[in-house]
Amino acid sequence: MCTKDSLGNGDANSLRSNPENAFSDLTSLAQSEKAVEELLIQQTPMQASDDHLIEFSEALRTVAKALRGSAEGKALAQAEAAEWKRRYELERSKNLDLLRQAPLNEEANSMELDHITKSPRLHVPENGKSTRYSLERICAHEVLQDCEPNSPIGSNNKLKRKASFKLSWGCKGQANDQHKKDIVSFESGNITTADRSSKQISLTWETSPQNVLIFTKPKSTSVQVLSVEMVRWLREQKGLNVYVEPRVKAELLSESSSFDFVQTWEDDKEISLLHPKIDLVITLGGDGTVLWAASMFKGPVPPIVPFSMGSLGFMTPFHSEQYRECLEAVLKGPLSITLRHRLHCHIIRDKARHDYETEENMLVLNEVTIDRGITSFLTNLECYCDNSFVTCVQGDGLILSTTSGSTAYSLAAGGSMVHPQVPGILFTPICPHSLSFRPLILPDHVTVRVQVPFNSRSSAWVSFDGKGRKQLEAGDALVCSMAPWPVSTACQVESTNDFLRSIHDGLHWNLRKTQSSDGPRET
């Protein structure tokens, strides 16, 4: 075959004669689909029945994608190394400055100067009191010294205290100390969890709320009647500025012209300006209304007070009959809240081209669903977690869910129920064609990438909280990570009590008739 001869003789000899250019030649050959097609056209005409050439073309496209990923990883590693080198130099210079200011004799100063120059760690002066040198975003505890000379063990004893250490937090090479003091603490080399992990989060108003935004369930007579009554009460009794959706304002004005004080927005540009104005959000409906309210905010979300007026509510603990008492307590404060994490998602369109086409970012409160759509073929999805291969999903699809969405689609697909304030990402397959494929719960700091491979028989479809359905072609990828802006919802009692009551009332969880006491007993 002419293709085999030309590749086996001419190209192979050129690669052996010039090995330095072999990798670059292969990269330039595989980086674009156009180069692959030109290579095949030059060697032999492409025939529809020639499976070998088709497989060769697909293989070259796969190699092109792998090489681009390797180049991106190398650039990221170089950037991370440069950042750590900069921090190293900064800490060393700070230690040198502090050492020059310390009241040490000349000999000790010289010794310590040489030591710090070689190793920028914590410095312990001769008086035994540790001086803590802290670098920004690096959390370090004081050095554990050797046994003191006056200790009963004696100064000549070889027993030493255990070594000091540092703990730091980071993701993708970027250190992050925003919450690390709330997570763990150190003392004498021991690591303990902080109190924050076991405490209920509380919100206290420093100034009284002035602006309230109300979202209502559409096409519901009971919701419309309550919204009329609530808007009038908030304005006349509480003196608050009330914002509603344009649809709701039209309904209120049709009820009475006295509702002309109600404010709304005209277009999408004004929606982006809601957050700096709104102090509190009220939802009248079910969980779907809460999802709709959260989707209106592409960044931070004001606290939400959800009233249950739907068929099933895991996020709506308040009852509409007592809305006056509930809102009185909320406006007065303090109130317990549940921080519900959201997923930050975007699609990367990549069909073996040089550039990437990235679509609009999406924020998801419940789940992202990737399914096979109307096709009869199994979904074929390659899944990665922080660039580490997880698995290949073959089945009806995959659900990436927040812990707030653990009682939604993920639960129906066999996933576990998780407390909404547990930070994590649920990885739940939909009808997998494997008996050993069990759901996973991943930590919240990872980035999950789901990609449709080039050899997939069909495309896939992705939806975000049941909306915005989009098609994923071969080579396209969905990237999901935890968003920095959670949705805070008010609690009727506290987070755990509300969660347990919702699964008991909504799902009748573990409801069973009590075993009769009239029967055989142990002797």
Side-chain angles (χ1 to χ4, degrees), residues 433-459:
H433 201 252
S434 171
L435 296 176
S436 60
F437 197 164
R438 305 303 302 160
L440 296 176
I441 300 179
L442 302 171
D444 63 332
H445 62 79
V446 302
T447 299
V448 179
R449 187 174 83 256
V450 181
Q451 180 173 328
V452 180
F454 287 103
N455 61 353
S456 178
R457 291 187 175 184
S458 62
S459 59

Side-chain angles (χ1 to χ4, degrees), residues 340-388:
R340 301 182 181 274
H341 302 278
R342 291 191 290 179
L343 287 176
H344 181 272
C345 312
H346 65 276
I347 297 175
I348 298 177
R349 303 290 183 183
D350 179 18
K351 298 181 179 178
R353 298 179 300 186
H354 291 284
D355 56 335
Y356 292 111
E357 179 185 344
T358 304
E359 296 190 355
E360 179 186 3
N361 296 333
M362 303 289 291
L363 290 174
V364 175
L365 181 55
N366 259 2
E367 76 276 315
V368 182
T369 304
I370 308 101
D371 59 73
R372 61 189 176 98
I374 61 175
T375 181
S376 60
F377 295 109
L378 293 177
T379 298
N380 189 8
L381 303 172
E382 293 179 353
C383 304
Y384 300 86
C385 179
D386 281 346
N387 296 322
S388 297

Side-chain angles (χ1 to χ4, degrees), residues 199-204 333-337:
K199 287 186 177 180
Q200 170 65 44
I201 302 174
S202 179
L203 184 149
T204 303
L335 67 150
S336 298
I337 63 173

Side-chain angles (χ1 to χ4, degrees), residues 363-502:
L363 290 174
V364 175
L365 181 55
N366 259 2
E367 76 276 315
V368 182
T369 304
I370 308 101
D371 59 73
R372 61 189 176 98
I374 61 175
T375 181
S376 60
F377 295 109
L378 293 177
T379 298
N380 189 8
L381 303 172
E382 293 179 353
C383 304
Y384 300 86
C385 179
D386 281 346
N387 296 322
S388 297
F389 178 73
V390 179
T391 188
C392 183
V393 177
Q394 297 184 85
D396 283 355
L398 176 69
I399 301 172
L400 297 177
S401 171
T402 65
T403 50
S404 293
S406 66
T407 51
Y409 195 0
S410 175
L411 178 65
S416 176
M417 292 185 294
V418 186
H419 193 288
Q421 290 194 170
V422 174
I425 301 175
L426 278 67
F427 186 92
T428 308
I430 305 174
C431 298
H433 201 252
S434 171
L435 296 176
S436 60
F437 197 164
R438 305 303 302 160
L440 296 176
I441 300 179
L442 302 171
D444 63 332
H445 62 79
V446 302
T447 299
V448 179
R449 187 174 83 256
V450 181
Q451 180 173 328
V452 180
F454 287 103
N455 61 353
S456 178
R457 291 187 175 184
S458 62
S459 59
W461 292 83
V462 58
S463 58
F464 309 90
D465 276 340
K467 304 185 296 294
R469 193 168 176 82
K470 298 182 179 181
Q471 189 173 11
L472 297 178
E473 299 287 354
D476 295 345
L478 173 70
V479 180
C480 299
S481 59
M482 195 63 70
W485 308 286
V487 176
S488 57
T489 58
C491 301
Q492 186 180 35
V493 182
E494 52 89 24
S495 181
T496 301
N497 183 281
D498 288 2
F499 171 68
L500 294 177
R501 190 178 71 252
S502 69

Side-chain angles (χ1 to χ4, degrees), residues 228-247:
V228 171
E229 183 180 348
M230 182 180 291
V231 168
R232 183 177 287 113
W233 181 81
L234 289 172
R235 180 63 176 180
E236 296 177 356
Q237 300 297 324
K238 294 302 174 183
L240 299 178
N241 301 319
V242 180
Y243 291 77
V244 297
E245 298 174 86
R247 170 185 57 83

Side-chain angles (χ1 to χ4, degrees), residues 237-298:
Q237 300 297 324
K238 294 302 174 183
L240 299 178
N241 301 319
V242 180
Y243 291 77
V244 297
E245 298 174 86
R247 170 185 57 83
V248 179
K249 184 174 182 179
E251 294 174 355
L252 293 175
L253 290 177
S254 64
E255 182 75 19
S256 173
S257 60
S258 62
F259 286 103
D260 56 354
F261 64 86
V262 175
Q263 303 182 52
T264 186
W265 55 88
E266 298 296 336
D267 50 28
D268 294 341
K269 293 183 179 179
E270 294 186 17
I271 296 178
S272 61
L273 303 177
L274 285 177
H275 176 259
K277 300 178 181 179
I278 302 303
D279 300 314
L280 195 68
V281 175
I282 298 174
T283 62
L284 304 179
D287 288 349
T289 310
V290 178
L291 295 176
W292 170 249
S295 67
M296 300 298 290
F297 298 91
K298 305 305 179 183

